[in-house]
Amino acid sequence: MASRALLSVKVCPGIRQVSMAHLDLDERQIERARKAAGNIADSVLRFAKEHSTVAIERAVLRLMGVEGADADGVPLPNRVVDVALKEGILGRGIALYFGNCLSKVGDPVETAKAIADKKIGLKEDFSDDRARDEAEKALKKGIARIRETVERRRALLEKLGDGGTRPLLYVIVATGNIFEDVVQAKVAARAGAQVVAIIRSTAQSLLDYVPEGITTTGYGGTYATQANFRVMRQALDEISFELGRYVRQCNYASGLCMPEMAVLGAFERLDVMLNDALYGILFRDINMQRTLIDQAFSRVVSAAGEIIINTGEDNYLTTADAVSAAHTVLASNFINEAIGKRCGLKDWQLGLGHAMQMNPMMEDMFLLEVAQAQMIRQIFKDCPIKYMPPTKYMTGNIFRGHVQDAMFGLASVITKQGIHLVGIMTEAMHTPHIHDRFLALEAQGMVMNMARHLGDEIEFKKGGIIERRAQEVLKKAMEMLEQIEKEGLFTALEQGRFANVRRSFTGGRGLEGVFKKEEGYFDAVEDLLLKSLEGQDETMGARG
């Protein structure tokens, strides 16, 4: 049942879905959990505010108009930041020094080339006032570019809608060749996909630069580049007009280039981006300081770009037991919600993750999964919750896999999830083929259509298995958050509180790219981005 605000938008009923079925959850425990999560978020963001990273400084250059690479293929943002590092001046922020040079050269790309080729020095004839003025002018142009993409998305959704049905059916393509991805994406859209995610090439998250240009090779996925984003955006716009409904594009704002990816996604009108520091810490061993600082900046950019972020809690239960560790997913959801909102994201942009990962051979497994799904849907009622399929227990038995995915679809439609990552029966064997994806979309569409309003017709037994399970998980999540509130998120990550994975405060990849801001650091970037949010429609989830 959509809210009145969402119903006022005729073209599309919104991502929010609220089930008529209701679990009796202790609102005081939810309030305590949110309070603890808020204090955790404040502590993390205070730390982030005092620091920057090489990736944030490169993202700032991209906002100022720097793009392209040198003759050796090294991205120009990397070249400029490397110069500032060697000269020991990055502590005040690259925007100031680049603004100073920009005032003399005029064009951002030519300015970057001149700095890289040492034709002009970052400190040459430096004027603080002139540098700030030029930096702000260039940044405002970049932010205006983001706003143009936002308005274009709004116009397309107003004109085409997005099909209206919820949850949105989300599928992946992952060929390594962007042009082959386009073929598969169009086929998937014609088969019913509403969100197409282009899986990133294996280990790209560990590259400390963004590859340049169109790519046709990649292992386990396709390189995420600005040019590839643009190719897919054009293709999905074409299929959107063919089908008469807007098809959303998804990629990654994560890894060592998280801030830059957020900027490029905002420039090229990506609609959904995977964005979660905890995922990078736990599953990619990216240093926790580095990626939590990067995440704060990237979420401000995503807020300005009206991008829906997806968080990675759905992966926790691939390494931890889904029954005993379910509360860690909910606890992380609360933390991601708190950090996201403090970075300017609205409820409709918070695609908090969870997954159906219990052993399908366990008695009453489906009841416990419905409890988890309904609980999360109910607590985050205005968020487009992202539900991940049962990948952990997929095998070479594609028939059993198809049944598991059908049950997953039933749980999803009963509890009215926002974004449904379509499970594909062959994913345990190989990268799915076009026909595998077609069969999966057909099955999910059938299950959801036949049970579309089942959640409005049922009630959960008071004190029954489902309700007791949800109450237990909520209580454990609240207690976990209050413990993390006392010890700090960094300590919790060191102790392996999430996904049974321990990480070091000073270990992992990327720590060398972290630095403390010096006095006089140019701190206007996030302020300008947040200012661009003024007047943003609180109910844009109806369209975006």
Side-chain angles (χ1 to χ4, degrees):
M1 182 175 67
S3 70
R4 291 175 62 188
L6 296 182
L7 287 173
S8 68
V9 181
K10 297 177 182 178
V11 297
C12 167
I15 290 176
R16 176 187 176 188
Q17 295 280 281
V18 180
S19 176
M20 293 296 290
H22 188 80
L23 294 169
D24 183 16
L25 301 177
D26 190 332
E27 292 297 329
R28 291 168 299 179
Q29 290 183 353
I30 295 172
E31 185 178 342
R32 284 173 60 180
R34 278 207 165 94
K35 181 181 177 182
N39 289 333
I40 294 165
D42 288 339
S43 176
V44 169
L45 293 174
R46 278 195 299 272
F47 179 85
K49 188 71 174 174
E50 296 171 353
H51 297 79
S52 185
T53 73
V54 291
I56 289 174
E57 302 304 320
R58 297 194 303 253
V60 169
L61 288 173
R62 291 184 184 277
L63 279 169
M64 295 175 76
V66 178
E67 57 184 35
D70 66 12
D72 296 321
V74 179
L76 288 174
N78 287 69
R79 289 294 308 275
V80 175
V81 168
D82 286 346
V83 171
L85 272 173
K86 287 178 183 176
E87 295 186 14
I89 59 174
L90 199 58
R92 291 193 67 199
I94 197 62
L96 274 180
Y97 296 99
F98 189 78
N100 185 61
C101 296
L102 187 59
S103 68
K104 301 166 189 173
V105 180
D107 177 77
V109 174
E110 293 306 314
T111 301
K113 289 179 179 177
I115 294 168
D117 294 338
K118 299 183 179 178
K119 293 178 180 178
I120 186 171
L122 286 169
K123 295 185 289 186
E124 186 177 309
D125 189 26
F126 184 81
S127 164
D128 198 279
D129 290 340
R130 183 179 64 233
R132 287 182 180 277
D133 288 344
E134 287 295 328
E136 285 200 19
K137 282 193 288 186
L139 286 164
K140 285 177 180 177
K141 286 182 182 178
I143 293 168
R145 182 176 172 185
I146 291 174
R147 296 309 300 170
E148 287 173 7
T149 67
V150 166
E151 293 305 321
R152 177 60 175 160
R153 182 191 297 113
R154 289 183 176 188
L156 287 170
L157 281 163
E158 193 74 31
K159 179 182 178 66
L160 300 173
D162 65 3
T165 57
R166 296 295 185 272
L168 294 173
L169 296 181
Y170 169 125
V171 300
I172 63 171
V173 295
T175 69
N177 182 325
I178 188 61
F179 298 113
E180 182 59 29
D181 285 345
V182 163
V183 173
Q184 296 207 3
K186 287 185 172 183
V187 171
R190 292 189 185 103
Q194 294 162 288
V195 182
V196 177
I198 299 82
I199 298 301
R200 190 165 53 183
S201 186
T202 299
Q204 187 183 340
S205 62
L206 304 181
L207 299 180
D208 216 342
Y209 65 93
V210 180
E212 186 68 25
I214 293 172
T215 67
T216 56
T217 58
Y219 181 77
T222 303
Y223 283 101
T225 74
Q226 184 173 9
N228 285 349
F229 288 173
R230 191 175 300 144
V231 168
M232 183 58 74
R233 177 73 275 163
Q234 181 180 346
L236 292 181
D237 282 351
E238 289 171 0
I239 199 68
S240 294
F241 278 101
E242 176 188 316
L243 298 174
R245 59 176 174 84
Y246 186 73
V247 180
R248 289 176 170 87
Q249 180 177 350
C250 175
N251 213 291
Y252 294 74
S254 61
L256 291 174
C257 293
M258 184 189 289
E260 291 178 273
M261 289 297 186
V263 170
L264 297 179
F267 279 169
E268 301 303 331
R269 194 169 27 95
L270 270 70
D271 309 286
V272 183
M273 297 198 85
L274 285 79
N275 178 248
D276 188 358
L278 296 189
Y279 176 85
I281 296 164
L282 299 171
F283 299 104
R284 294 293 179 265
D285 196 18
I286 296 174
N287 175 263
M288 62 178 75
Q289 298 178 58
R290 166 70 179 268
T291 194
L292 282 164
I293 297 165
D294 282 347
Q295 178 182 260
F297 183 92
S298 70
R299 289 189 174 182
V300 174
V301 174
S302 293
E306 295 191 352
I307 293 169
I308 296 169
I309 68 161
N310 284 163
T311 58
E313 290 88 357
D314 43 28
N315 292 277
Y316 294 180
L317 304 181
T318 59
T319 54
D321 177 67
V323 178
S324 61
H327 65 288
T328 67
V329 171
L330 179 58
S332 182
N333 287 151
F334 275 116
I335 294 171
N336 263 315
E337 177 195 45
I339 292 175
K341 286 191 172 183
R342 284 159 173 75
C343 293
L345 291 164
K346 302 294 188 285
D347 281 326
W348 68 264
Q349 292 176 280
L350 293 169
L352 305 173
H354 66 122
M356 182 168 170
Q357 296 289 25
M358 294 180 193
N359 187 337
M361 301 306 176
M362 183 180 69
E363 185 177 54
D364 288 330
M365 163 267 189
F366 188 71
L367 278 69
L368 301 186
E369 288 288 7
V370 168
Q372 185 84 357
Q374 176 65 24
M375 174 195 64
I376 290 176
R377 171 72 285 167
Q378 200 167 306
I379 292 172
F380 305 101
K381 62 182 185 299
D382 294 319
C383 299
I385 304 300
K386 177 197 166 193
Y387 200 19
M388 181 177 170
T391 54
K392 184 174 181 178
Y393 290 97
M394 294 295 279
T395 68
N397 183 342
I398 62 172
F399 303 105
R400 193 186 92 174
H402 215 35
V403 172
Q404 288 174 218
D405 286 331
M407 297 300 290
F408 165 60
L410 185 59
S412 187
V413 74
I414 287 173
T415 59
K416 298 188 183 293
Q417 299 297 304
I419 301 172
H420 180 93
L421 204 171
V422 174
I424 302 176
M425 54 283 185
T426 58
E427 58 193 323
M429 300 164 61
H430 56 71
T431 300
H433 299 306
I434 286 177
H435 57 269
D436 300 328
R437 200 175 294 113
F438 177 86
L439 290 171
L441 281 162
E442 181 183 56
Q444 292 301 299
M446 179 183 70
V447 169
M448 290 185 178
N449 191 53
M450 68 169 61
R452 182 69 62 194
H453 298 101
L454 181 56
D456 301 331
E457 295 291 322
I458 64 176
E459 295 180 358
F460 296 116
K461 179 181 177 181
K462 191 168 183 61
I465 294 173
I466 293 175
E467 190 164 88
R468 291 200 313 273
R469 170 63 177 175
Q471 291 167 344
E472 174 194 7
V473 172
L474 172 59
K475 184 174 184 292
K476 285 184 176 180
M478 178 200 71
E479 292 170 346
M480 179 181 182
L481 286 165
E482 290 182 338
Q483 182 60 37
I484 295 173
E485 180 185 16
K486 294 175 185 175
E487 64 192 17
L489 182 59
F490 293 129
T491 299
L493 290 166
E494 288 187 310
Q495 293 178 348
R497 294 293 185 87
F498 297 100
N500 288 343
V501 177
R502 294 175 181 266
R503 294 302 184 200
S504 167
F505 184 71
T506 55
R509 299 172 174 90
L511 178 60
E512 68 281 358
V514 176
F515 62 91
K516 190 155 186 167
K517 294 176 182 176
E518 296 176 6
E519 185 177 348
Y521 179 85
F522 184 82
D523 229 351
V525 184
E526 291 186 34
D527 291 339
L528 289 169
L529 285 163
L530 288 169
K531 190 174 181 181
S532 75
L533 298 175
E534 292 177 3
Q536 184 192 66
D537 188 349
E538 292 281 349
T539 63
M540 269 303 298
R543 287 172 286 181

